Amino acid sequence: MNALVATSRNFKQAAKLLGLDSKLEKSLLIPFREIKVECTIPKDDGTLASFVGFRVQHDNARGPMKGGIRYHHEVDPDEVNALAQLMTWKTAVANIPYGGAKGGIGCSPGELSRSELERLTRVFTQKIHDLIGIHTDVPAPDMGTNPQTMAWILDEYSKFHGYSPAVVTGKPVDLGGSLGREAATGRGVLFATEALLAEYGKSIKDQRFVIQGFGNVGSWAAQLISAAGGKVIAVSDVTGAIKNNEGLDIEKLLKHSVENLGIIGFSGGESIDPSSLLTEDCDVLIPAALGGVINRENANDIMAKFIIEAANHPTDPEADEILSKKGVVILPDIYANSGGVTVSYFEWVQNIQGFMWDEEKVNAELKTYMTRGFKDMKEMCRAHNCDLRMGAFTLGVNRVARATVLRGWEA
């Protein structure tokens, strides 16, 4: 089941629980604006190449729209639509004053030189500069883009509008990026896990963790969980999977994966079949890689008691049902991985104030937001007698619906 179908299904279920007016429900699903632009650049060899760039701006009832820009060879309009909508609910769950957006350019970034990527980014920015902005729509990095991409967008945008560091987040620190942003999603996963385990009278310290994915989110989550006394017993990435029942040495593993471009061949654990990773015996499973990895094929074999969705949409709705019957508790992506967008909000706030925070303040504020978010989500679970995923969706949808009605959506 693709992301758009799953997101729309969750939204409709939440709307039903909340008893939303059907006209309002329909209005909330339709994106505010969809932009599609042609980006033609000269390549290094002098030939011209054309790419299609787009941006879906889903909703701005609660504030400027916010979401990533991805450079990927198959940027699918349906998927971008789903992700823009998901950002609307995610920012509302995190209770930060944003709406949702998502965008991208259909290109293979690996096949373009640095100067070609810069030209492409600048042309894209020229085409959309009057449709994004500090109080309109604030892009961020996503698949295939990084802080350097944001620096180019900032520079190009500033040629039209004057120096505006708050127009994008996820910037290099030298250009107004926030300290703590790089680790933010992984640190948010730590705080979310702490909040969930506390609910069951447990702490990170005495739990065994399995983490799928050792990219930015997975590696930071592993480091922070391990530092908090958790035992990370198995990890996988694109190169393979490794396991050590006594707990992996995450510092050494990180060093190994940087030097060898992957975790394969790490001496501090035995190599296992990556496809068996999700069904390893553990207390907490953290999928931090791709979507749709937990499905009806493997859901019955999962032994974890808790699943923390660090990736976007890792659990299929069918697997959701199987797991809830088994009594597995799933902390939904829309809350669990919102640390990144929360610290993006802090970056934007610092840029607008022209006053930067130290890293301790960033991390302390993140903890406050994540802890409060968990409490709000649990309250919705009690009010509507539903699981955590519906608790999060009803919380987000309700906040957006209320803002929409208060602003006068029928006028």
Side-chain angles (χ1 to χ4, degrees):
M1 185 177 291
N2 72 17
L4 184 62
V5 176
T7 305
S8 299
R9 176 172 155 168
N10 286 327
F11 167 76
K12 289 192 175 95
Q13 207 176 327
K16 198 167 134 193
L17 281 174
L18 292 163
L20 286 193
D21 174 81
S22 64
K23 292 192 292 297
L24 176 60
E25 181 183 335
K26 190 161 183 239
S27 156
L28 287 176
L29 267 184
I30 300 169
F32 166 78
R33 182 195 277 144
E34 294 190 29
I35 304 153
K36 192 172 179 184
V37 293
E38 180 204 28
C39 303
T40 301
I41 58 158
K43 295 192 69 175
D44 294 343
D45 62 9
T47 60
L48 288 179
S50 288
F51 304 91
V52 176
F54 38 88
R55 184 83 175 153
V56 174
Q57 298 175 330
H58 177 257
D59 189 277
N60 60 1
R62 297 180 63 259
M65 293 164 287
K66 186 93 192 76
I69 288 181
R70 51 178 54 181
Y71 288 2
H72 194 262
H73 57 90
E74 43 186 59
V75 177
D76 169 48
D78 264 1
E79 190 184 16
V80 173
N81 236 313
L83 293 168
Q85 189 199 131
L86 205 57
M87 283 304 294
T88 298
W89 318 131
K90 185 183 283 190
T91 50
V93 170
N95 209 8
I96 53 181
Y98 287 141
K102 204 76 169 186
I105 301 178
C107 68
S108 299
E111 291 168 18
L112 296 169
S113 70
R114 183 183 159 99
S115 60
E116 287 167 343
L117 282 169
E118 178 173 354
R119 287 195 290 274
L120 181 57
T121 304
R122 290 183 183 277
V123 169
F124 183 51
T125 308
Q126 286 165 18
K127 299 274 174 128
I128 65 167
H129 77 89
D130 51 349
L131 298 169
I132 61 172
I134 298 171
H135 300 294
T136 315
D137 178 4
V138 181
D142 200 304
M143 278 163 56
T145 54
N146 56 33
Q148 178 61 67
T149 320
M150 299 303 109
W152 291 327
I153 295 176
L154 160 64
D155 183 71
E156 198 60 34
Y157 181 87
S158 296
K159 290 176 185 175
F160 297 94
H161 303 273
Y163 181 62
S164 319
V167 73
V168 286
T169 58
K171 299 182 293 294
V173 173
D174 292 331
L175 289 177
S178 177
L179 297 171
R181 175 67 190 87
E182 197 213 335
T185 311
R187 194 175 294 276
V189 168
L190 171 80
F191 295 147
T193 308
E194 282 178 333
L196 179 66
L197 291 173
E199 194 71 15
Y200 292 86
K202 300 177 191 295
S203 72
I204 299 258
K205 229 169 118 141
D206 36 9
Q207 303 296 302
R208 295 165 306 141
F209 293 80
V210 167
I211 301 176
Q212 183 192 40
F214 207 65
N216 172 283
V217 182
S219 64
W220 274 108
Q223 279 177 83
L224 295 164
I225 284 165
S226 163
K231 201 189 260 191
V232 182
I233 58 165
V235 172
S236 72
D237 68 1
V238 286
T239 64
I242 47 158
K243 175 186 174 182
N244 181 342
N245 284 329
E246 300 308 306
L248 293 157
D249 183 330
I250 300 298
E251 293 299 315
K252 283 187 184 154
L253 177 60
L254 199 72
K255 194 165 174 278
H256 173 92
S257 90
V258 170
E259 287 166 4
N260 301 278
L261 302 178
I263 62 172
I264 195 96
F266 178 62
S267 57
E270 53 172 314
S271 189
I272 57 168
D273 177 7
S275 63
S276 73
L277 183 95
L278 296 170
T279 55
E280 283 293 329
D281 181 16
C282 65
D283 302 305
V284 184
L285 173 63
I286 305 180
L290 297 168
V293 294
I294 299 172
N295 46 44
R296 61 166 185 240
E297 270 77 62
N298 61 9
N300 277 311
D301 304 323
I302 285 176
M303 294 166 87
K305 301 165 196 68
F306 302 98
I307 296 177
I308 314 287
E309 296 189 333
N312 279 319
H313 187 62
T315 317
D316 264 4
E318 293 161 330
D320 245 353
E321 283 172 38
I322 298 169
L323 290 163
S324 75
K325 284 199 185 94
K326 283 177 62 168
V328 178
V329 178
I330 301 177
L331 196 60
D333 54 0
I334 182 176
Y335 163 73
N337 67 25
S338 64
V341 71
T342 303
V343 175
S344 277
Y345 162 60
F346 298 162
E347 180 178 333
W348 180 76
V349 167
Q350 292 169 79
N351 294 154
I352 288 174
Q353 290 184 333
F355 179 82
M356 304 310 282
W357 304 348
D358 61 31
E359 193 171 343
E360 271 161 299
K361 179 170 166 71
V362 174
N363 294 342
E365 289 286 346
L366 175 59
K367 185 163 194 173
T368 305
Y369 269 79
M370 295 296 296
T371 311
R372 196 167 51 207
F374 185 79
K375 215 169 90 242
D376 293 346
M377 178 173 63
K378 282 301 282 189
E379 241 157 70
M380 289 306 259
C381 292
R382 281 190 278 274
H384 298 287
N385 190 23
C386 59
D387 65 3
L388 289 166
R389 190 181 308 281
M390 267 310 113
F393 263 90
T394 49
L395 176 64
V397 171
N398 191 40
R399 280 179 176 154
V400 178
R402 280 169 57 178
T404 305
V405 170
L406 284 168
R407 289 184 62 161
W409 68 286
E410 290 171 296

